[in-house]
Amino acid sequence: MPRFLSMIRIDEQNLPAQTPDPDFETRMGALFEEITKAGVMLDTAGLAPTSQGTRVRWEDGKLSYTDGPFTETKEVVGGYAIMQCKDRPEALEWTKRFLEIHPNNWTVTAEVREIAEG
């Protein structure tokens, strides 16, 4: 079965000031339990902010390093999920369900891509 990477993109400059309602973590936990029991979720995690990151670039035969935060980038990867699904529509369905759990005033984008095997 193919594996898919869902990259969760956020705008670090415009994160919601309010914490989500108390049921948010309960709903998220229930979805993670369901997707894990279904044998779909292989790994998931949130990422530290870009202020704690470093970009490493290879250009013209040389490496360069840039410490975060990366203010020139509007959206950054804030988390990820690696899922094993029967096909792309199933990966998109799980991703849709993940996004729908978030509060209406949040802006969260997910980019779903199949992992190239071999």
Side-chain angles (χ1 to χ4, degrees):
M1 285 206 315
R3 295 182 303 154
F4 294 86
L5 173 66
S6 177
M7 292 174 281
I8 309 307
R9 296 185 177 275
I10 59 169
D11 180 352
E12 282 187 323
Q13 308 304 317
N14 293 305
L15 293 175
Q18 298 172 319
T19 57
D21 64 80
D23 291 336
F24 173 72
E25 297 225 6
T26 302
R27 293 189 314 268
M28 189 64 72
L31 177 65
F32 282 177
E33 184 177 333
E34 181 183 353
I35 193 171
T36 301
K37 283 182 178 177
V40 171
M41 182 67 72
L42 301 178
D43 190 26
T44 187
L47 300 175
T50 62
S51 61
Q52 298 174 24
T54 302
R55 285 190 178 156
V56 182
R57 181 179 177 105
W58 175 258
E59 182 177 19
D60 294 327
K62 296 179 185 174
L63 286 173
S64 63
Y65 300 85
T66 305
D67 290 332
F70 310 119
T71 55
E72 73 279 0
T73 304
K74 182 174 172 144
E75 282 191 338
V76 298
V77 177
Y80 70 92
I82 299 175
M83 303 174 287
Q84 189 163 26
C85 302
K86 67 180 182 235
D87 54 24
R88 180 180 196 75
E90 182 184 15
L92 292 173
E93 176 62 25
W94 284 112
T95 301
K96 175 190 82 111
R97 290 183 58 196
F98 169 80
L99 290 174
E100 289 175 339
I101 286 174
H102 290 79
N104 290 337
N105 65 324
W106 286 28
T107 300
V108 183
T109 303
E111 179 180 338
V112 179
R113 294 171 59 185
E114 187 171 347
I115 297 172
E117 304 287 352

